[in-house]
Amino acid sequence: MAFTAQTPQRPLPGAYIQTPAVNRFQSGQVPQPNFLPNSSPSIQQHGAQAQAQTQVLVPETQQVTGVGGIPPVDRSKPIDRAAKTINETLAQETKYPELDSYIGQGISSDYDISNQSLWAPFQKIKVYDIPDKIFEQYNRAQVSTMMGLFADFNHAWVSIDNALYLWDYMHPIPDLIGFEEQPYTITAVRLVVPRAGVFIPQISRLLVVATKAEIHLVGLSAQLAPNGGHSVSLYSTRLSISIKGIDVNVIEGSSTSGRVFFSGRGSDDVYEVTYQQEERWFQNKCAKINHTSKGISAFKPSNPFGPRKEAEYLVQMAVDDTRNLVYTLSSRSTIRTFHMKANGGLDLVITKPLDQTLNNIGHMTSQSDLISTMTIVSINPISSQEASKLHLMATTSTGCRVFMSATASHGWSITDSSNAPSSMQVQHVKFPPAEPGPLHGSPRTENQLSNQSVQTSSTALRPTRTAVRYPPGYFFCFVSSDLQGGNDSLFISGPDSARIARPQESSLQSKYAELGLWLNLGSRAEDIGLASAPFFAAPSPTGFGNELAVQYDKGASEVAILTNTGVHTLRRRRLVDMFAAAVRLDGGDDGPDWVAKRFVRLYGRGETASTALAVACGQGLDVTSDSRITRITDPEVLEYARNAFVQFGGKPQFNENSVIDNSLPEIDLVRPSPRHEGLALYVSRLVRSIWKALIARETVSATGVLAVSSAVSLVKLREIQQDLSRVKEFLDTNRTFIDALAGPQALESIKSKQDEVMLQAEHRALHSMHVLINDMIEGIAFVLVLFDERIEELIVSLAADTRTGLRGLTYEGLFSTANGKDLAKELVKAIVNRNIANGSNVETVAEALRRRCGSFCSADDVIIFKAQEQVKKAAEAGSHTEFGRNLLNESLRLFKQVASNLSMEQLQWAVQKFQLMQFFAGAIQLALDVAQESDRENRALSWIQDGRPEPDPRTAIFQSRKRCYDLIHQVISSLDEAPNQVLDLADAQRSLLARRKTEAYNVVDTSMDEVFQTDLYDWYLAQGLTERLLGIQSPYLVTYLRRKASDDIGSANLLWRYFSQAEQNKDAAEVQLALAKSEFVLTLDRRIEYLSLAKANANTYAPGSARPARQVLLREISDLLDVANIQDDIIQRLKKDDRLTPERQVDVVSELNGPIQSLSHLFNFYAEGASYFDICLLIYQAADHRNPTDIRATWQNLFERVHESVCARGEPLPYEAIIECLRSLGPRLNLSEAIFPVNDLVPMLKRYAFEYQHGVGPETWVIDVMLEINVPFETLYTVLESMLYGEEAPFHGARRCFVANDLLHLIRLWYRATGRGKGTELGGRESAAAVEVTLGYLAGHCAISPDRMEELQALLRKIHGFLG
């Protein structure tokens, strides 16, 4: 009977999808009947047992199976789930709005300006005084002085007449570096990047110094000094050009191509300085090119007598290397755009006069004094990395910022720098903030900012003297505070990145939200420079300006401002710094939670939780009173941040809309809390710079020497590791305050099933992040250990595939993938092996690794290393020595302790070493232990018992175990091949090898691992070792052979042979009977042979076998054997039947020469149809068919058929054929009264003899043949007597003599057979008396010949004498 899986019930309306219940699944298929007697198919349950509903914090190792077609709960490991969260968070960070999205067509004036410095976008770090040496030189000035900054390496410069001096403004007592090698007054100085390959590698910058007569190119090298500053050196390049007549005031260079452009106060022409290493034909080493005035017009003299008009000249130049554009600003506020061509050309592509700019702005806003009276005082390019449409920001004298876009004839020029734009339009105008006053002393909320109308009349930035913009939008505007221009006020604004990333309403476009700051410099600004690396969070416009993403990964931007009194340094205040500073100053007057509430309102709970966590982990920085930047570690600040993370972290949310379709388990419909979002944000921002980065970088020198270095600075790695350690410590310390990490006490807050599911989901999410954080800490520790070693030697020692994998291994792969962990463990092994080779103690080395990076070198790894060391020591000591043997046993003990964690490579190594040292038993035992540990639930065995279905997940488990067993096969093969030497001793002791061989086979034979035994038997059969298989005494062998016997005839034969050898005759008979009945391709003769063997085994007595069971089995075998013999008779008859054509004969015989058919089939389709009446009688006998009419008719048909066939052939005589037929059928029918009815057959035969064989053959042949086949005398006597008295036709009247002669013949033979001491005459006195009466009747009523009458009288006398 086959058991089928029940139809899954539909979920009832309103029922909980994941209500715990017993899962009832049955195996979908039951194996076909096999050779297992008295066995019933077992139904294996695959479902999980019922779980208590109160079990909320489910351990991560549990697996939940779906019920009723519902998909199972997410089975991914915590590390995989957390890695996915990090990837999703990093991907979301890259979607930060690009500049074009929030600076679109229109106008705005959104600023958030507070009189509290803690909300300011920048904070002042320090003011560095100008050295007295500079003032001393300044006092000697005769013509002119200028000042400027090289802020990227913390240097300032001053030109005094013809001399140029540089100094490190951060050094308390700096040295002056001077350039005084020329006599002319300096008019302009610019630091540019030189063209590659022109100068020596030490020259990283080119100092372009313009004088009244010449431009000098001076090489500059800036190297980091040991004290943290920069060491600057100047190099004479001897490159200069004459510029007489050009009063150079503007110089600009391209950082990509190294091209240098300049212009003078006399015209708006654009010149270029060309320079090269060597002079060429018609080309000097250094020259100048005028890109704007061409031909003779460049030399046309001016008319000294005409009307005098002030010439237009350039006041600023700017280069955008990302688009190959040069922008110029003229004294008449005309903006020109030039395209730098690849061949060295410079084409003017756009001219934007002031009136066109005013016209564009006029379409956006009504009349405003700020527009009508403006001039443009500065321009700043916006690179293609920052914006795809916006190209330029121009600042007006009234403080307005005008954002412009340039387009080519075919559309926006986004990334293709080879296409020059052809037009420029104003896209956006940002008006100045309101004038400082008491109304703007407190910070405003986003709603207030959104509801404000655009202010287009503020004069707060009038007059703007100059302005600068740095990515991603830092704006520094210098406003003259007095009419003389002696003092400047500085307005600073920066984007509020958190608010831009999260607009108040998701459906609205992000606003250009900025934080502002007023700063009184108290002196005139001379220059400004970016003291830190240029900002970028991503290489494309989307995500470029995300300051939040890099606030923990990169240093905050710093700006230096040079005034005539000193250098002011400012630092960008990060969001985390604002939070920490606000908490330190109590945040305001609205209660202790005012800071957290403000952050939640403006930036959302996720960002607030992330920022609070960062502050609690010590990320908040502030400038101290002594101008040092230090971490904020005030206990009250850290406690507030901790409380904000816990209290304002929000709750998980359940998506009830997704429950209806049952597409996902309930736990996957829960969105974790903002607290989890904040944790993911903070952690992803800590590791963003290394997550996708390679771990190692390989280089090969020209001499072929391999060099391996860390792709990420080790200092950076240590910083990240420390920050992650603080996060882990925070979570561990505050576990009890966070519901999802608090443990069982969190159950108290559960009020419904939904609360339970949400708590489960939150716990799963936070626990996964906790696991990943721990793995990242240890992963970084491992990398640090790795680069503490001689990593080149380690790399060379690795296998080729491992080395290839290491080249592409990223930190993400190391932290979160099994392949990364495996590669790391290979490196750990290489480290340990190298230290062992160098004489170090393996336990010391491994323990040190385990302490620093436990997940890569666990306690089990330490044991493995110790075991491997024992093996190596055993090899050195000699495996045949007692000490070496003890070391091998100890290594086996250690290996067995960690069998669950041994890799296949480690197992292969151990087995190979054991085999070489003839430790065969240990090799086999270790492989067995590893196989069993890899499948503790024994799922491979259940797969085998289920018939090895495919596809099935258990197949992989079995294959994993089989790899271990294959190693055992190798050991056994080596054992068989090894010479079995015997020592020539008197007591015939076995040799050492023989003893070890016996030990190994003892481990094999006594193993309780049924999967191993099954695989071993498979291997024996594949190797043709059937005799060895039959010699095994194991209960698993019978199970194995029974399991295979249903599919493999060879296994079935082995099974009954095994039973016969074990004298289990009944079991052997059962197998042989099953073979005879099986569907295997067997001939009928083979099946009869199996039945004959089975009958013999069933008849053989065996101890322990019950006699009734044997009798039942014997009866079944005998019955089936009778049927088989009948089927064989039909086959033999068909082979000789000339009524069949040869082709049909072959087909019919092949149909019968196979499985044993049923009697009905044989009778209906063969015996009766072919008129094989003798076989029909045999079928009656076998089927116990007792219908006398059918039987008589069949006998009659048989006699007629035999007579006709013999007559047709002509030989032998018909009666002889009848006799032969009776001789054959009588014994086979066992003279059955039903099938061999003598009462019917004798009269039938007598009539046949009288009618067809009268006078042919012996007169009494009927009685003779009956007696020959052992028909009893009594039976024949009764039949003949009945015929005599009945006078049935044709035996009536005178013809009764035929019956009388047979009767007299029978009595004579009967008396002869029973007389003279052979027994009681005629069967006894009673029957003798009846015979006497019959003989008397014969003598008086039948015509008997004289000879027979005399014989009759003699019999009467004998009988009378017997009766007395």
Side-chain angles (χ1 to χ4, degrees), residues 451-502:
N451 294 332
Q452 276 189 330
S453 60
V454 178
Q455 300 293 326
T456 61
S457 59
S458 173
T459 60
L461 299 183
R462 175 182 283 181
T464 295
R465 188 169 60 82
T466 187
V468 175
R469 180 190 183 274
Y470 296 114
Y474 307 145
F475 178 58
F476 296 85
C477 184
F478 297 93
V479 183
S480 296
S481 301
D482 51 36
L483 297 177
Q484 292 76 20
N487 293 318
D488 285 338
S489 292
L490 175 59
F491 175 74
I492 307 174
S493 68
D496 193 348
S497 301
R499 218 182 315 175
I500 293 173
R502 178 187 177 270

Coordinates of all heavy atoms in Angstrom, one line a residue, residues 451-502:
N451 N 7.9 77.6 4.7 CA 6.8 78.5 4.6 C 7.2 80.0 4.3 O 6.4 80.8 4.0 CB 5.9 78.5 5.9 CG 5.3 77.2 6.1 OD1 5.0 76.4 5.1 ND2 5.0 76.8 7.4
Q452 N 8.5 80.2 4.5 CA 8.9 81.6 4.2 C 8.9 81.9 2.7 O 9.2 81.1 1.9 CB 10.4 81.8 4.7 CG 10.5 82.1 6.2 CD 11.9 82.5 6.6 OE1 12.8 82.0 6.0 NE2 12.0 83.4 7.5
S453 N 8.6 83.1 2.4 CA 8.8 83.6 1.0 C 10.2 84.0 0.7 O 11.0 84.2 1.6 CB 7.8 84.8 0.7 OG 8.2 85.8 1.6
V454 N 10.6 84.0 -0.6 CA 11.9 84.3 -0.9 C 12.2 85.7 -0.7 O 11.5 86.6 -1.2 CB 12.2 83.9 -2.4 CG1 13.6 84.2 -2.8 CG2 11.9 82.4 -2.6
Q455 N 13.3 86.0 0.1 CA 13.7 87.4 0.3 C 14.6 87.9 -0.8 O 15.7 87.3 -0.9 CB 14.4 87.5 1.7 CG 13.5 87.0 2.9 CD 12.3 88.0 3.1 OE1 12.4 89.2 2.9 NE2 11.2 87.4 3.5
T456 N 14.3 88.9 -1.5 CA 15.1 89.3 -2.7 C 15.6 90.7 -2.5 O 16.1 91.4 -3.4 CB 14.2 89.3 -3.9 OG1 13.1 90.2 -3.8 CG2 13.8 87.9 -4.2
S457 N 15.6 91.2 -1.2 CA 16.0 92.6 -1.0 C 17.0 92.8 0.1 O 17.3 93.9 0.5 CB 14.8 93.5 -0.7 OG 14.1 93.0 0.4
S458 N 17.5 91.7 0.6 CA 18.5 91.7 1.8 C 19.8 92.3 1.3 O 20.3 91.9 0.3 CB 18.7 90.4 2.4 OG 19.7 90.4 3.4
T459 N 20.3 93.3 2.1 CA 21.6 93.9 1.8 C 22.7 93.4 2.7 O 23.7 94.0 2.9 CB 21.5 95.4 1.9 OG1 21.1 95.8 3.2 CG2 20.5 95.9 0.9
A460 N 22.4 92.2 3.3 CA 23.4 91.7 4.3 C 24.8 91.5 3.7 O 25.8 91.6 4.4 CB 22.8 90.4 4.9
L461 N 24.8 91.1 2.4 CA 26.1 90.8 1.8 C 26.6 91.9 0.9 O 27.4 91.7 -0.1 CB 26.0 89.5 1.1 CG 25.7 88.3 1.9 CD1 25.7 87.0 1.1 CD2 26.6 88.1 3.1
R462 N 26.1 93.1 1.0 CA 26.5 94.2 0.2 C 27.5 95.1 1.0 O 27.1 95.5 2.1 CB 25.3 95.0 -0.3 CG 25.7 96.3 -1.1 CD 24.4 97.0 -1.5 NE 23.7 96.4 -2.6 CZ 22.6 96.9 -3.2 NH1 22.1 98.0 -2.7 NH2 22.1 96.3 -4.2
P463 N 28.6 95.5 0.4 CA 29.1 95.0 -0.9 C 30.0 93.8 -0.7 O 30.8 93.7 0.2 CB 30.0 96.2 -1.3 CG 30.5 96.8 0.0 CD 29.4 96.6 1.0
T464 N 29.8 92.8 -1.6 CA 30.6 91.6 -1.6 C 31.9 91.9 -2.4 O 31.8 92.3 -3.5 CB 29.9 90.4 -2.2 OG1 28.8 90.1 -1.4 CG2 30.8 89.2 -2.4
R465 N 33.0 91.7 -1.7 CA 34.3 92.0 -2.4 C 34.7 90.8 -3.2 O 35.2 90.9 -4.3 CB 35.3 92.4 -1.3 CG 36.6 92.9 -1.9 CD 37.5 93.5 -0.7 NE 37.8 92.5 0.3 CZ 38.8 91.6 0.2 NH1 39.5 91.6 -0.9 NH2 39.0 90.8 1.2
T466 N 34.6 89.6 -2.6 CA 35.0 88.4 -3.3 C 34.3 87.2 -2.6 O 33.8 87.4 -1.5 CB 36.5 88.2 -3.4 OG1 36.8 87.0 -4.2 CG2 37.1 87.9 -2.0
A467 N 34.2 86.1 -3.3 CA 33.6 84.9 -2.7 C 34.2 83.7 -3.3 O 34.7 83.7 -4.4 CB 32.1 84.9 -2.9
V468 N 34.1 82.6 -2.6 CA 34.7 81.3 -3.0 C 33.7 80.2 -2.7 O 33.0 80.2 -1.7 CB 36.0 81.0 -2.3 CG1 36.5 79.6 -2.7 CG2 37.0 82.1 -2.7
R469 N 33.6 79.2 -3.6 CA 32.8 78.0 -3.3 C 33.7 76.8 -3.5 O 34.4 76.7 -4.4 CB 31.7 77.9 -4.4 CG 30.8 76.7 -4.2 CD 29.8 76.5 -5.3 NE 28.9 75.4 -5.1 CZ 29.2 74.1 -5.4 NH1 30.4 73.8 -5.9 NH2 28.3 73.2 -5.1
Y470 N 33.5 75.9 -2.5 CA 34.2 74.7 -2.5 C 33.2 73.5 -2.4 O 32.1 73.7 -1.8 CB 35.1 74.5 -1.3 CG 36.3 75.5 -1.2 CD1 36.3 76.5 -0.2 CD2 37.3 75.5 -2.2 CE1 37.4 77.4 -0.2 CE2 38.3 76.4 -2.1 CZ 38.4 77.3 -1.1 OH 39.4 78.2 -1.1
P471 N 33.4 72.4 -3.2 CA 32.5 71.3 -3.1 C 32.4 70.8 -1.6 O 33.4 70.9 -0.9 CB 33.2 70.2 -4.0 CG 34.1 71.0 -4.8 CD 34.6 72.1 -4.0
P472 N 31.2 70.4 -1.2 CA 30.0 70.2 -2.0 C 29.0 71.4 -2.0 O 27.8 71.2 -2.2 CB 29.4 69.0 -1.4 CG 29.7 69.1 0.1 CD 31.1 69.7 0.1
G473 N 29.6 72.6 -1.6 CA 28.7 73.7 -1.6 C 29.1 74.7 -0.4 O 28.2 75.5 0.0
Y474 N 30.3 74.6 0.1 CA 30.8 75.5 1.1 C 30.9 76.9 0.4 O 31.7 77.1 -0.6 CB 32.1 75.1 1.7 CG 32.1 73.7 2.2 CD1 33.2 72.9 2.1 CD2 30.9 73.1 2.8 CE1 33.2 71.6 2.6 CE2 31.0 71.8 3.3 CZ 32.1 71.0 3.1 OH 32.1 69.8 3.6
F475 N 30.3 77.9 1.0 CA 30.3 79.3 0.4 C 30.9 80.2 1.4 O 30.5 80.3 2.6 CB 28.9 79.7 0.1 CG 28.7 81.1 -0.5 CD1 29.4 81.4 -1.7 CD2 28.0 82.0 0.1 CE1 29.3 82.7 -2.2 CE2 27.8 83.3 -0.4 CZ 28.5 83.6 -1.5
F476 N 32.0 80.9 0.9 CA 32.6 81.9 1.8 C 32.5 83.3 1.1 O 33.1 83.4 0.0 CB 34.1 81.5 2.0 CG 34.3 80.2 2.7 CD1 34.3 79.0 2.1 CD2 34.5 80.3 4.1 CE1 34.4 77.8 2.8 CE2 34.6 79.1 4.8 CZ 34.6 77.9 4.1
C477 N 31.8 84.2 1.7 CA 31.6 85.5 1.1 C 32.2 86.6 1.9 O 31.9 86.7 3.1 CB 30.1 85.7 1.0 SG 29.6 87.2 0.1
F478 N 33.1 87.4 1.3 CA 33.8 88.4 2.1 C 33.2 89.7 1.8 O 33.1 90.2 0.6 CB 35.3 88.4 1.7 CG 36.0 87.1 2.0 CD1 36.1 86.1 1.1 CD2 36.6 87.0 3.3 CE1 36.8 84.9 1.4 CE2 37.2 85.8 3.6 CZ 37.3 84.8 2.7
V479 N 32.7 90.4 2.8 CA 31.9 91.6 2.7 C 32.7 92.7 3.3 O 33.1 92.6 4.5 CB 30.5 91.5 3.3 CG1 29.7 92.8 3.1 CG2 29.8 90.3 2.8
S480 N 32.9 93.8 2.6 CA 33.6 95.0 3.2 C 32.8 95.6 4.3 O 31.6 95.9 4.1 CB 33.9 96.0 2.1 OG 34.8 95.5 1.1
S481 N 33.4 95.7 5.4 CA 32.7 96.3 6.6 C 32.8 97.8 6.7 O 32.0 98.4 7.4 CB 33.3 95.7 7.9 OG 33.2 94.3 7.9
D482 N 33.7 98.4 6.0 CA 33.8 99.8 6.0 C 34.1 100.3 4.6 O 34.4 99.6 3.7 CB 34.9 100.3 7.0 CG 36.3 99.6 6.7 OD1 36.6 99.3 5.6 OD2 37.0 99.3 7.7
L483 N 34.0 101.6 4.5 CA 34.2 102.2 3.1 C 35.6 102.1 2.6 O 35.8 102.0 1.4 CB 33.7 103.7 3.2 CG 32.3 103.9 3.5 CD1 32.0 105.5 3.6 CD2 31.4 103.3 2.5
Q484 N 36.5 102.1 3.5 CA 37.9 102.0 3.1 C 38.3 100.6 2.8 O 39.4 100.4 2.2 CB 38.9 102.5 4.2 CG 38.8 104.0 4.5 CD 37.5 104.3 5.3 OE1 36.9 103.5 6.0 NE2 37.1 105.6 5.2
G485 N 37.5 99.6 3.1 CA 37.8 98.2 2.8 C 38.9 97.6 3.7 O 39.6 96.7 3.3
G486 N 39.1 98.2 4.8 CA 40.2 97.7 5.7 C 39.8 96.5 6.5 O 40.7 95.7 6.9
N487 N 38.5 96.3 6.7 CA 38.0 95.1 7.4 C 37.0 94.4 6.6 O 36.2 95.0 5.9 CB 37.4 95.6 8.8 CG 38.5 96.1 9.7 OD1 39.6 95.6 9.8 ND2 38.1 97.2 10.4
D488 N 36.9 93.1 6.8 CA 36.0 92.3 6.1 C 35.1 91.5 7.1 O 35.6 91.1 8.2 CB 36.7 91.2 5.2 CG 37.2 91.9 4.0 OD1 36.8 92.9 3.6 OD2 38.2 91.3 3.4
S489 N 33.9 91.4 6.8 CA 33.0 90.4 7.5 C 32.9 89.2 6.6 O 32.8 89.3 5.4 CB 31.6 91.0 7.7 OG 31.7 92.1 8.7
L490 N 32.8 88.1 7.2 CA 32.8 86.8 6.4 C 31.4 86.1 6.7 O 31.1 85.9 7.9 CB 33.9 85.9 6.8 CG 33.9 84.5 6.2 CD1 34.0 84.6 4.7 CD2 35.1 83.7 6.8
F491 N 30.7 85.8 5.6 CA 29.5 85.0 5.7 C 29.8 83.6 5.2 O 30.3 83.5 4.0 CB 28.3 85.6 5.0 CG 27.1 84.8 5.0 CD1 26.4 84.6 6.1 CD2 26.8 84.1 3.8 CE1 25.3 83.8 6.1 CE2 25.7 83.2 3.8 CZ 24.9 83.1 5.0
I492 N 29.5 82.6 6.0 CA 29.8 81.3 5.6 C 28.5 80.5 5.6 O 27.7 80.6 6.5 CB 30.8 80.6 6.5 CG1 32.1 81.4 6.7 CG2 31.2 79.2 6.1 CD1 33.0 80.9 7.8
S493 N 28.3 79.7 4.5 CA 27.2 78.8 4.5 C 27.6 77.5 4.0 O 28.6 77.4 3.2 CB 26.0 79.4 3.7 OG 26.4 79.4 2.3
G494 N 26.9 76.4 4.4 CA 27.2 75.1 3.9 C 25.9 74.3 3.9 O 24.9 74.6 4.6
P495 N 25.8 73.3 3.0 CA 24.6 72.6 2.8 C 24.2 71.8 4.1 O 25.1 71.2 4.8 CB 24.9 71.6 1.7 CG 26.4 71.5 1.6 CD 26.9 72.8 2.1
D496 N 23.0 71.8 4.4 CA 22.5 70.9 5.5 C 22.2 69.6 4.9 O 21.1 69.3 4.5 CB 21.2 71.6 6.2 CG 20.9 70.9 7.5 OD1 21.5 69.9 7.8 OD2 20.0 71.4 8.2
S497 N 23.3 68.7 4.9 CA 23.2 67.5 4.1 C 22.1 66.6 4.6 O 21.4 65.9 3.8 CB 24.5 66.8 4.2 OG 25.6 67.6 3.7
A498 N 21.9 66.5 5.9 CA 20.9 65.6 6.5 C 19.5 66.0 6.0 O 18.6 65.2 5.8 CB 21.0 65.6 8.0
R499 N 19.3 67.3 6.0 CA 17.9 67.8 5.6 C 17.7 67.6 4.1 O 16.6 67.4 3.6 CB 17.7 69.2 6.0 CG 16.3 69.5 6.5 CD 16.1 70.9 6.8 NE 17.1 71.5 7.6 CZ 17.2 72.8 8.0 NH1 16.2 73.6 7.6 NH2 18.1 73.3 8.7
I500 N 18.8 67.8 3.3 CA 18.7 67.6 1.8 C 18.4 66.1 1.5 O 17.6 65.8 0.7 CB 20.0 68.1 1.2 CG1 20.1 69.6 1.3 CG2 20.0 67.7 -0.3 CD1 21.4 70.2 0.8
A501 N 19.1 65.3 2.3 CA 18.9 63.8 2.1 C 17.5 63.4 2.4 O 17.0 62.4 1.9 CB 19.9 63.0 2.8
R502 N 16.9 64.1 3.4 CA 15.6 63.7 3.9 C 14.6 65.0 3.9 O 14.5 65.7 4.8 CB 15.6 63.2 5.3 CG 14.3 62.8 5.9 CD 14.4 62.5 7.4 NE 13.2 62.2 8.0 CZ 12.4 63.1 8.6 NH1 12.7 64.3 8.6 NH2 11.2 62.7 9.1

